[in-house]
């Protein structure tokens, strides 16, 4: 199916931005045909984009190998990796911003802390180094879906991630870092201000009059909170991908 050019869409000055996990897909799982079809219909009317915390590789796994063609704007890592109509936009990097010396101290502290806490299971990849952030997972990013669910339940009881975030804040008060618990088994660490509002700078001079944002973690402390409450967006708090579809059908009948 060919895409209607942006200039020919009836609401070309409206953009809908979507969080991924919990909004377009169940956490870390794949998008359904119903969501894909709804997005394709909405894209005939206005401009669409996603803004996820994960890196583009994971969004490809979840949204499909042709993700760059499914959306007009693709914002991975909160927009630190950004594409418009399949073309890569300029980006910054976490390591350049923080510097090797501070980064080294941060990693040493994290690995030491993780080696000393009680956990029922450990897998692999406890720190994932990304372009615009690092992702820290006490169980490790190699956990299976069942192990993810187990860790999430354990974390609800023992606040493993919340305690670790407090320890990091106390240890590095002058690093200007934000710690965001957005998923099931990990938290993201990035420079303060590099939350999902970061992606808005890529569209600020593109003439949009209305920016809808859809997210599930819109509560304070959730990784959709800043963009959901930002003055530039109309925020929609959703409970599931089915809820996103329902709201889209109401907004774009
Ligand atoms: O998109 C939300 C989060 O998804 C993943 O979290 P987890 O693996 O803990 O479920 C990560 O990619 C994380 O960076 C992201 O914010």
């Amino acid at each position: 199916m060919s895409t209607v050019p942006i200039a020919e869409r009836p609401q070309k000055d409206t953009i809908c931005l979507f969080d991924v996990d919990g909004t377009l897909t169940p956490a870390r799982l794949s998008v359904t045909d119903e969501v894909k079809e709804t997005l394709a219909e909405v894209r005939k009317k206005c401009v669409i984009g996603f803004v996820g915390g994960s890196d583009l590789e994971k969004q490809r796994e979840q949204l499909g190998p042709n993700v760059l063609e499914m959306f007009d704007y693709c914002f991975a890592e909160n927009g630190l990796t950004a594409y418009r109509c399949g073309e890569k936009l300029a980006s910054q990097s976490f390591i350049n911003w923080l510097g090797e010396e501070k980064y080294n101290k941060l990693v040493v502290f994290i690995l030491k802390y993780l080696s000393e806490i009680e956990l029922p299971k450990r897998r692999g990849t406890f720190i994932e180094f990304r372009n615009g952030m690092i992702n820290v997972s006490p169980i490790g990013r190699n956990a299976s879906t069942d192990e993810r669910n187990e860790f999430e339940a354990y974390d609800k009881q023992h606040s493993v991630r919340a305690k670790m975030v407090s320890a990091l804040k106390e240890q590095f008060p002058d690093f200007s870092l934000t710690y965001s618990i957005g998923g099931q088994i990990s938290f993201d660490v990035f420079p303060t201000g590099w939350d999902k509002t970061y992606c808005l700078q890529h569209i600020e001079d593109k003439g949009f009059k209305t920016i809808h944002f859809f997210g599930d973690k819109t509560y304070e402390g959730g990784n959709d909170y800043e963009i959901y409450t930002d003055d530039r967006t109309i925020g929609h708090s959703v409970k599931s991908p089915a809820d996103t579809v329902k709201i889209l059908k109401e907004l774009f009948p």
Side-chain angles (χ1 to χ4, degrees), residues 19-21 27-28 52-55 58-59 62 78 128 130 133 135 137 141 148 161 180-188 196 217 223:
D19 160 56
V20 181
D21 280 316
R28 298 297 302 122
S54 301
D55 57 18
K58 299 209 181 55
Q59 285 139 3
Q62 289 178 266
N78 297 347
E128 186 171 80
R130 300 178 182 168
M133 65 174 73
N135 177 267
S137 174
R141 299 211 58 77
R148 285 180 152 266
R161 289 181 291 176
S180 172
I181 301 176
Q184 282 182 295
I185 57 159
S186 64
F187 58 90
D188 296 328
K196 286 189 184 173
K217 298 197 179 57
N223 67 350

Side-chain angles (χ1 to χ4, degrees), residues 139-193:
I139 182 170
R141 299 211 58 77
N142 300 135
S144 65
T145 303
D146 284 348
E147 289 160 353
R148 285 180 152 266
N149 295 337
E150 282 170 29
F151 176 84
E152 192 180 23
Y154 183 85
D155 191 42
K156 277 197 181 117
Q157 272 191 323
H158 299 274
S159 306
V160 177
R161 289 181 291 176
K163 284 180 194 159
M164 186 166 178
V165 165
S166 298
L168 280 160
K169 283 183 177 163
E170 200 182 316
Q171 183 72 19
F172 302 107
D174 53 342
F175 274 25
S176 301
L177 293 171
T178 292
Y179 305 88
S180 172
I181 301 176
Q184 282 182 295
I185 57 159
S186 64
F187 58 90
D188 296 328
V189 185
F190 48 81
T192 298

Side-chain angles (χ1 to χ4, degrees), residues 22-24 32 34-35 238-248:
T23 301
L24 293 181
T32 61
E34 190 195 13
V35 171
V238 303
K239 293 180 193 72
S240 62
D243 203 19
T244 305
V245 168
K246 183 173 157 276
I247 299 171
L248 284 173

Side-chain angles (χ1 to χ4, degrees), residues 90-162:
S91 66
Q92 293 202 52
S93 88
F94 177 76
I95 191 71
N96 278 346
W97 182 90
L98 189 64
E100 289 294 352
E101 199 184 325
K102 284 183 172 172
Y103 179 63
N104 217 331
K105 284 187 182 148
L106 186 68
V107 169
V108 169
F109 180 84
I110 289 170
L111 293 177
K112 192 157 182 277
Y113 183 98
L114 287 177
S115 72
E116 286 170 355
I117 55 171
E118 279 283 317
L119 277 183
K121 281 186 184 171
R122 287 181 164 83
R123 292 297 177 256
T125 314
F126 303 103
I127 300 178
E128 186 171 80
F129 182 77
R130 300 178 182 168
N131 180 46
M133 65 174 73
I134 57 166
N135 177 267
V136 180
S137 174
I139 182 170
R141 299 211 58 77
N142 300 135
S144 65
T145 303
D146 284 348
E147 289 160 353
R148 285 180 152 266
N149 295 337
E150 282 170 29
F151 176 84
E152 192 180 23
Y154 183 85
D155 191 42
K156 277 197 181 117
Q157 272 191 323
H158 299 274
S159 306
V160 177
R161 289 181 291 176

